[in-house]
Amino acid sequence: MPLTACPVFIDGEWDAIRDVGTSPVFNPSRGDTIAEVPMCGADVVNNAVEAAAAAFPAWRDTPAIERARLFFRYRQLIEENFDRICESVSREHGKTLAEARGSVYRGIENVEYACAAPTLLMGDTLENLARGVDCETMHQPLGVCVGITPFNFPAMVPMWMFPLALVCGNTFVLKPSEKVPLTVVILIELLEKAGLPKGVLNVVHGGRECVDALLTHPKVKAISFVGSSPVAKYIFETGTHHGKRVQANGGAKNYIIVMPDADVMRTVEALSTAAFGCAGERCMAGSTAITVGKAADYVLPSLVAAARAIKVGPTDAKTQPDMGPVITAQHRDRVFSLVASGEKEGAKIIADGRDVRVPEAPNGFYMGATIVDQIQDDMTLAREEVFGPVLNVMRMEDLDHAIEVANKSAYGNGTAIFTNSGKAAREFKNRVKAGMVGINVGVPATMAMFPFTGWDESFYGDLHIQGKEGVQFYTQQKVVTTRWFGEGVGDVWKK
Ligand code: NAD
């Protein structure tokens, strides 16, 4: 059977680009290729940006309430097609259906937030700034905005971007990850069905060449990026160098501090979900547990038992596993070699998922839940983002030392503490160096109304994705100062 060629969407038309190289899209549960994605170059990108630029004036002038109504209809269509979207996320990414559902709901919340646009776009006014002078702020769209997204959330991360950008009055070009381009096709077909005007949103596919064409195109005004830190830094530097506004979310290494007074079973449950949920392929994965004092003795036995009990298997099967595969065979091999480096550098593997076998899907990209104890902060495994189902364990004497070690990380995305002490939690919350902090919450990924606030190498830019900062990112402010010369004012000059 011929493979599905993933189409681009430009000026309201779906088109299979045939004269460029392609990249395979896998079903990681089975290891087979399910589609080919075109690796578009500058000419295709130019067509998409020009279509978005041409559609901008009419879309900008569409009343905000009408733009919002498109997304009310869109939300309904997503609900009606919810299972289809989740199955697609699961098929091309390998998330379990439960994980896919959770992620699509997070996307829906962003659509709901965008529906509040008429309120979000309201400005401020001050009457009588000076005698007879009033002042007001207006939030106006930027023009053509671009979204470049990673593989790990095929629906949610694109939905962090285009609903808010569009409702704010911008037009958009989306470049999804070439590893998971198929769910976006469903999302945009539904947006078309909801009434998307031609050219307002366009989709292109590809890798670096495609991204470079977007970063340097003179008609692109702003770039939203989510992906690994080296690429985020490159996007920020190149985009800003070419005069674009850029928000670029990068990778992470998130620490969870476990105090000896923490509730043991709740902490074990949260650590297991934080480390092994979505097979560890989350920028908010809790990838390192720092146990303080006797906490290791309390939580590790149950945590190891929980990790060993996690059933790994294909996520496209009727009976759902607890954990699916990682994205590619190459990525699994990288995770294996990072675990091996930990062993070589003196750490101790206390739950080893490297030899997991899945007889019903022998070619899938599987790895079981793995826990590596006695990690020291100079080990490769301690420093590099693993992005697989691997939990590091570090043991510290006290909270001060634990915070000091967590704060040495080059990243600063999320972190959490498990404790029953308000004093320890307060100390942690104030001193820890990360943008999103959980207190007895394992993965404190923010919801649509709050900004997704990475720090340090987890974020390049000023205004974060989501929430009010998202609205600020997708708009520019105009301050209008007004005076009307009536009879009274004019009379001053006549005298
Ligand atoms: P990636 O950086 O490899 O790719 C992200 C996007 O950039 C893709 O669309 C890809 O095509 C493009 N790209 C890749 N290499 C490029 C290059 N050299 N030049 C230009 N463009 C390039 O990331 P990924 O592997 O798809 O996703 C996983 C990463 O994303 C992890 O590091 C994870 O922590 C991060 N992530 C961060 C957040 C966040 O909000 N901070 C959220 C999700 C994922």
Side-chain angles (χ1 to χ4, degrees), residues 275-276 278-281 323-324 326 335 367-371 386-391:
F276 308 127
C278 295
E281 291 173 326
M323 187 167 88
V326 296
V335 178
M367 171 177 186
T370 298
I371 304 178
V386 177
F387 226 55
V390 179
L391 177 69

Side-chain angles (χ1 to χ4, degrees), residues 71-84:
F71 283 92
F72 276 103
R73 294 191 293 273
Y74 186 52
R75 190 204 175 284
Q76 180 63 29
L77 286 166
I78 292 194
E79 284 280 1
E80 286 165 13
N81 290 272
F82 188 69
D83 289 345
R84 188 159 72 99

Side-chain angles (χ1 to χ4, degrees), residues 152-348:
N152 65 326
F153 283 98
M156 182 188 82
V157 174
M159 289 165 87
W160 279 358
M161 300 174 183
F162 71 81
L164 197 55
L166 260 58
V167 164
C168 287
N170 302 285
T171 54
F172 208 80
V173 180
L174 175 63
K175 196 222 69 78
S177 165
E178 66 279 23
K179 295 187 180 110
V180 294
L182 302 173
T183 305
V184 158
V185 175
I186 303 177
L187 292 180
I188 304 311
E189 278 174 352
L190 294 175
L191 193 59
E192 253 191 299
K193 216 168 159 189
L196 177 77
K198 274 181 192 243
V200 169
L201 186 140
N202 306 271
V203 181
V204 295
H205 299 290
R208 177 154 186 176
E209 193 189 339
C210 180
V211 169
D212 281 345
L214 288 164
L215 294 178
T216 55
H217 197 292
K219 291 194 180 165
V220 168
K221 298 291 180 198
I223 318 265
S224 300
F225 172 86
V226 177
S228 59
S229 289
V231 183
K233 187 165 186 269
Y234 170 75
I235 300 279
F236 180 75
E237 288 174 352
T238 313
T240 51
H241 180 73
H242 285 85
K244 325 288 180 209
R245 187 179 281 196
V246 181
Q247 51 179 194
N249 288 16
K253 191 92 196 166
N254 306 315
Y255 292 81
I256 297 185
I257 295 180
V258 184
M259 298 299 287
D261 64 355
D263 179 309
V264 174
M265 285 329 288
R266 285 194 179 120
T267 305
V268 167
E269 208 183 308
L271 274 176
S272 176
T273 310
F276 308 127
C278 295
E281 291 173 326
R282 280 191 297 201
C283 68
M284 289 297 279
S287 48
T288 303
I290 305 183
T291 59
V292 173
K294 285 204 169 306
D297 300 339
Y298 304 150
V299 298
L300 283 189
S302 308
L303 191 60
V304 168
R308 289 190 180 140
I310 289 175
K311 194 177 163 303
V312 180
T315 59
D316 58 358
K318 257 213 162 87
T319 313
Q320 284 285 296
D322 301 315
M323 187 167 88
V326 296
I327 189 73
T328 57
Q330 196 188 12
H331 183 58
R332 179 191 54 196
D333 294 346
R334 178 181 174 272
V335 178
F336 280 180
S337 76
L338 279 167
V339 172
S341 79
E343 207 170 18
K344 217 163 133 196
E345 292 173 28
K348 203 170 148 217

Side-chain angles (χ1 to χ4, degrees), residues 31 43 67 123 126 135 176 231 241 243 284 317 323 345 378 412 438 494:
D43 49 345
R67 297 196 300 250
L126 182 63
C135 197
V231 183
H241 180 73
M284 289 297 279
M323 187 167 88
E345 292 173 28
D378 56 352
K494 282 183 213 154

Side-chain angles (χ1 to χ4, degrees), residues 422-477:
K423 183 173 182 293
R426 186 173 185 274
E427 185 77 11
F428 172 76
K429 160 175 98 172
N430 288 337
R431 286 176 41 206
V432 77
K433 183 184 73 67
M436 290 170 277
V437 178
I439 295 173
N440 296 319
V441 173
V443 187
T446 56
M447 286 173 70
M449 49 298 248
F450 287 97
F452 208 86
T453 46
W455 284 13
D456 296 330
E457 289 181 20
S458 294
F459 180 72
Y460 296 87
D462 297 303
L463 294 167
H464 294 92
I465 286 174
Q466 289 194 159
K468 287 182 198 154
E469 282 193 45
V471 177
Q472 282 176 277
F473 181 79
Y474 288 126
T475 54
Q476 50 199 341
Q477 276 200 78

